[in-house]
Amino acid sequence: MVRQFMSNPFREDLVSRSRPEACTVVIFGATGDLTHRKLIPALYNLAIDGELPPGVKIIGFARRGKSDEVFREGLKDLNREVSRNGHDEEIWNDFENTVEYHQSEFQDSDGYRRLADRLEAIDLERGGKGNRLFYIASAPEYFDDILEHLKAAGLNESKDGCWSRVIVEKPFGTDLPSAQHLNEVVNQTFEEKDTYRIDHYLGKETAQNIMVLRFANAIFEPLWNSKYIKQVQITCSEHLGMEGGRGGYYDKAGALRDMVQNHLLQLLSLVAMEPPTDLSADGVRDEKVKVIRSLRQWDTPELVAENVVRAQYSAGHVHGKSVVGYREEDRVDPESMTETYVALRCMVDTWRWSGVPFYIRMGKRLPKKATEISVHFRSAPNVLFNAIPGDKDEGNVLVIRIQPDEGISLRMVSKLPGTTLRLEPVKMDFHYSTSFGKASPEAYERLLLDAMAGDATLFARRDEVEEAWKFIDHIHRAWHQSDAEKEPDMAEFVAGSWGPEEADSLLEKDGNTWRRL
Amino acid sequence: MVSDNAMSLGIKVPVEKIERELRQLWEVDDARTNASLINLAVYSEAKGALATNSDMIREITREHSCRALLIGLDKNIEETSVRAWITAHCHLAHGQKSVCCEQIAFHLTGHSTGRFRNTIFAHLQSDLPLIFWWQGNLSDMFSESLYRRIDRLVIDSSGWDDVIVQFTRINEAIRQVNLVVQDLAWTRTYHFRLAIASLYDDLIAAESLKNVSKVKIITNPKHFASGLQLLAWFAEMSGWKRTQDLISDQEDSGSYRFCTREGNIVDAELTLEENSAPIGKIEVISGGVTVCVSREAGGKHLHHQLICDEHVIDIHGPADGDSSAELLADQLSRGGKNSLFKKILPTFFGMLEL
């Protein structure tokens, strides 16, 4: 990649990562929770770690009338609460001087012209370097307006060797047509190389470690195929329901579109991808998109009914407390047909994965919060120890825990101490928190730095997003088609349990069971 | 003698029963998790060092799980003896789980390099790398048969009596066994280097680099090596070559002359000031552009400045820790083979006239 800036010899060997460049970060939706709880603390933590390039300016763009001082005060209050590195007054004072507030409606052309003037003044102050990073953290209905106005104001253009990039938050569309439309709008405004679709799961330490585990260790890759792997399970379980008014958004989205289309298919692609030719953004993303493209399409209601289970939770108990059913939740339609639980059987039709089912399940109001990937290896031949009557076949399972309690474990079979030959599964366990006392950076820290450095490896590319929507849309269409009689059933399960029986049956057909978390 | 503070070393155990006693330590409470990613040996010939180092290990194990081996040697006592203590440092990891690291402390007397080596190597956890922190001057116990088995040697050249003599031995070890050396004096310069690198991201600063005429570094006399390493790094990364030095007539300063890629001459001055922070300042002057990173004595922040007429950057950033425990923890966090340090060593050794 040709660098547009002068080389800085002092950066060499200092950190093994692309170099972030000074820029102005403009956050649309600056009065929202994401800005206050995630983005500003992430930028502040980069500053306190000495990683934020000097000259970075932050402009909060939002509709409410506020002065710079009031805006900063609000950010400071929350930073004190949530910052990973604590709150250092001296560093904050310098940091907050880089933060300004820009009041404008998202549809107001004049607001963008004023923004352009403001950015130019900042560029002059910085010495003429006009890199811009636009972060669209507003509600999705404003995405089009913001992008079109940025273009009209000429803010999308890269001038004089500088760059102009955009980060777009999820949801990136609600189906394939809307994602394609959004991609069109984005790409009419910004080139694909300057577009960063954020999926914070990819910024998580454990998600990044999947590739390291697979490709930096010699022992796994030879076994990483259908000859040795029987099945893969990806589970994202949440104990929360619709607290804090989340029902309004969730009832429109549902588990499939809220989590599976993005986060969980991204995890699946990291597990199933071929080794990339290099670690460049496109090298990695080329391989990931091949996986999504290779997913067998469940494109008829019958196939969806056979391979996908949707469900809602009914009243039950979670963590010892009584909770209401989904349809009784605040801001949820009492006749809602939105799934809070989904289990899928995916088939990756490649040479490597032929015949290996990838099961994905995601649910609200399950017994505990956990996201993990488990790779289940085939059993050893039924001779010698495995031929002993009464001993259960316990294959090896490699578990990658994404959150919480990040780590990796490997289940294997061992002899029970004693004079008789009894076998039991044992677990080798690696916990990040035990081995590395230092807290990992927040996903947003890594991702913001990468965007400033022009490294899109951990961001979703247009074709990845669209291929994922294509797969998801077939399922969604089957669920909500006009002929209600053909619609696959909506199952039900008691809140606090591990999901509906139908989800268990989905695996039993293949002779498998869900891993107990 | 071991200091009165020997209580902090834990339970006194017979050397031949150390591993068994450690197992028993864990059997007492199975709610704890024993963790280790490295073998961390800490060697000192200073009196009372075992207790001090035990306290230091308690801090380091908050972030770095290890099996710690503390070795205190008293060469003034002729009679050879070994005494050992075991303990575990436990911390609540992320507010959830009690994670513990084993520590074995040895107090040796007499003079026997073989016994010293064997004591260490008999108690390493297998398959884990050995990080060996040699405190103070390198003595005759620092032998090839020891450093050949070390994965990373940690030193702090700031505490050395004679930097040239000591680095001559280090240089020899590097040549002999390609030893990976991590000098805490170098770690001490990390945030200064990061600040300089950040300031040179600025286009005006970057442009000015080819016109540098003067570099001034101020350090505390004890941290002369850090200052010189910082200068060696700046020169090496800028692609400068040493040329005939100016002769300094002042005892508290050293002057060095470099030639840039463009053929310009750069004069560098390293001044030692008693009241300075370990590294007090680095100032780079190129025509009308001044890049300066400074730290007040006792200050917790670095002051980053870029001044070019009205174009000014003036911000604060984090400073490096001062204590050895903080520096070692930082160094362990960064891991790696320290290739940058290796890269600047020839220039650094050249300035030391090794």
Side-chain angles (χ1 to χ4, degrees):
Chain A
M1 186 176 145
V2 178
R3 289 286 185 197
Q4 298 295 315
F5 47 83
M6 296 190 68
S7 67
N8 178 349
F10 305 112
R11 286 282 179 194
E12 199 185 326
D13 292 340
L14 205 55
V15 282
S16 52
R17 194 193 49 226
S18 306
R19 175 194 131 194
E21 293 176 67
C23 61
T24 303
V25 184
V26 182
I27 304 173
F28 292 93
T31 50
D33 218 32
L34 180 70
T35 305
H36 283 69
R37 287 193 172 274
K38 294 289 180 188
L39 302 182
I40 294 295
L43 289 162
Y44 167 77
N45 277 300
L46 291 173
I48 209 167
D49 282 345
E51 302 247 33
L52 196 66
V56 165
K57 282 268 184 188
I58 300 154
I59 295 184
F61 187 118
R63 291 172 293 174
R64 282 180 225 165
K66 269 188 189 187
S67 64
D68 287 348
E69 288 68 32
V70 172
F71 180 53
R72 290 169 183 168
E73 204 54 43
L75 298 176
K76 182 177 175 175
D77 287 346
L78 212 57
N79 190 67
R80 276 208 190 95
E81 262 180 53
V82 302
S83 165
R84 174 176 65 88
N85 275 327
H87 184 90
D88 181 315
E89 207 60 32
E90 185 106 24
I91 305 266
W92 177 266
N93 289 343
D94 283 336
F95 176 76
E96 77 167 10
N97 285 334
T98 67
V99 182
E100 296 176 12
Y101 186 72
H102 187 84
Q103 190 274 323
S104 172
E105 293 292 328
F106 293 133
Q107 301 95 333
D108 178 11
S109 307
D110 185 54
Y112 291 83
R113 275 194 292 275
R114 286 189 288 113
L115 175 66
D117 293 343
R118 202 163 183 168
L119 288 172
E120 267 187 37
I122 290 171
D123 296 344
L124 277 176
E125 198 183 303
R126 194 194 288 136
K129 195 167 182 180
N131 295 328
R132 282 103 190 242
L133 182 61
F134 298 102
Y135 198 118
I136 306 185
S138 66
E141 56 264 34
Y142 297 112
F143 285 9
D144 286 25
D145 284 327
I146 293 168
L147 288 162
E148 280 162 13
H149 281 93
L150 283 174
K151 188 180 179 186
L155 289 169
N156 57 328
E157 290 163 19
S158 307
K159 290 177 190 162
D160 309 325
C162 299
W163 47 257
S164 191
R165 296 175 186 147
V166 66
I167 299 180
V168 188
E169 262 292 335
K170 78 162 196 174
F172 206 78
T174 51
D175 53 18
L176 179 59
S178 63
Q180 283 172 328
H181 166 74
L182 193 53
N183 277 328
E184 283 304 316
V185 178
V186 171
N187 287 160
Q188 280 165 17
T189 311
F190 292 92
E191 287 183 46
E192 181 60 25
K193 71 172 177 55
D194 293 322
T195 305
Y196 294 73
R197 295 173 192 83
I198 207 159
D199 184 331
H200 73 272
Y201 258 57
L202 293 179
K204 287 181 184 294
E205 208 67 56
T206 32
Q208 292 171 45
N209 201 33
I210 295 172
M211 283 220 297
V212 177
L213 177 81
R214 287 189 55 195
F215 305 130
N217 294 292
I219 59 168
F220 297 116
E221 204 48 28
L223 307 179
W224 212 258
N225 54 52
S226 59
K227 190 173 175 193
Y228 297 102
I229 292 176
K230 188 181 173 200
Q231 51 145 332
V232 177
Q233 297 182 11
I234 301 174
T235 298
C236 175
S237 119
E238 292 181 15
H239 64 277
L240 290 176
M242 299 297 128
E243 293 87 343
R246 257 180 285 178
Y249 161 75
Y250 201 84
D251 204 34
K252 289 193 194 105
L256 186 70
R257 297 194 295 184
D258 185 51
M259 289 295 290
V260 179
Q261 184 274 338
N262 38 60
H263 305 323
L264 302 188
L265 286 185
Q266 285 287 342
L267 293 182
L268 184 150
S269 61
L270 287 169
V271 174
M273 69 191 277
E274 294 297 319
T277 48
D278 56 40
L279 291 174
S280 68
D282 280 335
V284 173
R285 295 190 298 181
D286 283 348
E287 295 306 330
K288 276 167 57 199
V289 76
K290 281 183 203 166
V291 174
I292 309 289
R293 205 174 281 149
S294 306
L295 287 173
R296 195 178 300 168
Q297 302 292 319
W298 305 136
D299 52 6
T300 65
E302 292 75 25
L303 283 171
V304 170
E306 210 176 297
N307 293 289
V308 187
V309 171
R310 61 173 171 164
Q312 287 179 345
Y313 58 83
S314 57
H317 294 87
V318 177
H319 288 181
K321 284 185 187 159
S322 301
V323 294
V324 297
Y326 177 64
R327 292 183 183 183
E328 290 90 55
E329 292 273 20
D330 182 27
R331 300 187 203 186
V332 169
D333 178 355
E335 293 182 5
S336 173
M337 284 299 283
T338 300
E339 76 289 354
T340 65
Y341 176 98
V342 61
L344 296 94
R345 178 176 175 272
C346 302
M347 301 302 292
V348 181
D349 285 330
T350 60
W351 188 286
R352 183 192 284 260
W353 295 114
S354 178
V356 179
F358 283 71
Y359 304 108
I360 295 178
R361 64 175 159 167
M362 189 281 144
K364 295 269 186 192
R365 286 280 189 240
L366 298 183
K368 62 180 178 184
K369 181 180 165 63
T371 303
E372 64 156 55
I373 300 163
S374 55
V375 180
H376 301 245
F377 290 87
R378 295 194 185 280
S379 304
N382 276 330
V383 292
L384 304 177
F385 300 113
N386 288 344
I388 297 170
D391 269 320
K392 226 168 69 182
D393 169 22
E394 301 276 4
N396 302 116
V397 181
L398 179 73
V399 178
I400 303 165
R401 292 187 300 275
I402 305 292
Q403 65 178 18
D405 193 19
E406 294 87 341
I408 297 167
S409 67
L410 179 65
R411 188 179 73 181
M412 60 185 90
V413 175
S414 173
K415 180 186 173 297
L416 274 182
T419 51
T420 57
L421 186 59
R422 295 280 305 277
L423 308 182
E424 280 293 329
V426 293
K427 196 162 87 167
M428 276 200 327
D429 218 349
F430 160 69
H431 296 255
Y432 269 80
S433 61
T434 306
S435 299
F436 305 110
K438 202 170 184 174
S440 300
E442 288 281 330
Y444 280 97
E445 293 175 37
R446 169 68 196 258
L447 295 171
L448 279 163
L449 218 51
D450 281 359
M452 288 181 203
D455 183 349
T457 311
L458 301 178
F459 294 84
R461 203 169 57 187
R462 176 179 179 156
D463 49 356
E464 282 182 271
V465 172
E466 291 183 5
E467 288 292 341
W469 274 123
K470 191 176 148 194
F471 176 75
I472 294 296
D473 274 5
H474 289 309
I475 300 168
H476 204 257
R477 210 171 297 130
W479 283 351
H480 301 283
Q481 60 181 308
S482 53
D483 186 354
E485 283 196 2
K486 279 190 177 174
E487 274 184 16
D489 293 337
M490 172 72 77
E492 209 176 294
F493 67 97
V494 178
S497 70
W498 274 110
E501 284 175 8
E502 288 84 342
D504 297 338
S505 308
L506 185 72
L507 273 69
E508 280 163 14
K509 284 187 280 189
D510 296 331
N512 295 322
T513 52
W514 289 109
R515 196 181 103 78
R516 197 182 62 237
L517 269 74
Chain B
M1 291 291 288
V2 182
S3 88
D4 295 335
N5 219 356
M7 287 292 283
S8 72
L9 299 176
I11 310 161
K12 190 170 181 186
V13 293
V15 176
E16 67 279 11
K17 291 181 179 169
I18 286 175
E19 295 297 337
R20 199 184 75 183
E21 295 288 339
L22 277 171
R23 277 196 298 279
Q24 281 180 1
L25 201 65
W26 295 111
E27 281 163 12
V28 172
D29 184 355
D30 58 8
R32 292 170 175 176
T33 302
N34 174 14
S36 60
L37 286 183
I38 53 172
N39 290 296
L40 177 61
V42 185
Y43 173 81
S44 177
E45 293 174 13
K47 275 190 180 168
L50 276 180
T52 318
N53 285 334
S54 181
D55 293 342
M56 200 139 52
I57 290 293
R58 169 169 292 283
E59 290 309 306
I60 288 169
T61 50
R62 284 183 194 282
E63 288 191 2
H64 300 283
S65 306
C66 60
R67 170 176 272 200
L69 296 124
L70 308 185
I71 306 117
L73 177 66
D74 190 341
K75 288 196 289 188
N76 296 324
I77 299 176
E78 278 185 19
E79 186 194 348
T80 57
S81 70
V82 186
R83 283 182 292 162
W85 295 260
I86 58 165
T87 189
H89 298 294
C90 299
H91 306 285
L92 212 55
H94 299 235
Q96 292 172 338
K97 189 185 299 178
S98 185
V99 178
C100 304
C101 299
E102 296 166 336
Q103 174 183 292
I104 310 169
F106 297 100
H107 184 253
L108 289 82
T109 59
H111 192 278
S112 167
T113 51
R115 186 171 51 98
F116 156 63
R117 279 195 313 273
N118 294 348
T119 306
I120 301 162
F121 295 135
H123 295 95
L124 298 180
Q125 279 203 339
S126 55
D127 287 332
L128 298 180
L130 171 60
I131 317 292
F132 195 104
W133 182 6
W134 189 289
Q135 296 181 332
N137 294 316
L138 300 172
S139 66
D140 51 358
M141 305 297 273
F142 185 71
S143 62
E144 190 195 331
S145 48
L146 171 73
Y147 56 69
R148 190 172 281 286
R149 290 174 175 82
I150 291 174
D151 294 286
R152 279 188 259 167
L153 174 73
V154 178
I155 51 172
D156 187 354
S157 59
S158 296
W160 284 346
D161 297 333
D162 189 331
V163 172
I164 294 175
V165 169
Q166 298 293 314
F167 268 116
T168 304
R169 299 194 63 184
I170 291 291
N171 196 12
E172 193 182 315
I174 291 172
R175 276 195 279 106
Q176 275 180 331
V177 299
N178 202 15
L179 183 65
V180 176
V181 180
Q182 299 187 319
D183 187 355
L184 297 184
W186 170 246
T187 312
R188 215 169 256 123
T189 67
Y190 177 75
H191 278 288
F192 267 87
R193 287 182 278 126
L194 198 60
I196 287 284
S198 296
L199 288 169
Y200 278 99
D201 279 340
D202 183 278
L203 282 183
I204 292 174
E207 183 65 32
S208 74
L209 194 56
K210 59 177 182 280
N211 298 319
V212 174
S213 57
K214 187 117 192 131
V215 178
K216 295 180 191 172
I217 294 176
I218 297 175
T219 71
N220 186 289
K222 195 181 157 202
H223 297 284
F224 160 76
S226 292
L228 208 58
Q229 288 171 3
L230 185 61
L231 178 58
W233 168 76
F234 197 93
E236 179 67 31
M237 303 319 276
S238 304
W240 301 345
K241 297 279 173 237
R242 280 285 302 290
T243 180
Q244 186 66 49
D245 288 334
L246 290 178
I247 305 299
S248 172
D249 54 3
Q250 294 176 347
E251 277 184 14
D252 57 356
S253 71
S255 296
Y256 307 88
R257 177 164 275 188
F258 297 91
C259 184
T260 69
R261 286 195 187 108
E262 292 78 16
N264 301 331
I265 294 296
V266 178
D267 285 324
E269 197 174 275
L270 179 61
T271 307
L272 308 179
E273 285 184 7
E274 282 293 343
N275 297 324
S276 163
I279 305 168
K281 181 157 102 171
I282 173 166
E283 186 176 50
V284 185
I285 299 161
S286 1
V289 179
T290 301
V291 167
C292 180
V293 182
S294 58
R295 181 185 181 189
E296 285 179 13
K300 292 195 181 314
H301 299 96
L302 298 184
H303 190 190
H304 309 192
Q305 286 174 295
L306 165 67
I307 301 164
C308 175
D309 297 329
E310 288 182 3
H311 178 64
V312 174
I313 293 177
D314 192 319
I315 55 171
H316 291 84
D320 298 285
D322 287 319
S323 74
S324 300
E326 284 174 289
L327 291 167
L328 183 68
D330 282 353
Q331 185 62 55
L332 293 173
S333 294
R334 285 194 274 276
K337 299 281 182 192
N338 222 6
S339 57
L340 184 58
F341 183 60
K342 210 169 171 181
K343 190 171 176 176
I344 67 119
L345 276 181
T347 309
F348 173 63
F349 286 158
M351 288 196 286
L352 283 176
E353 297 183 353
L354 290 190

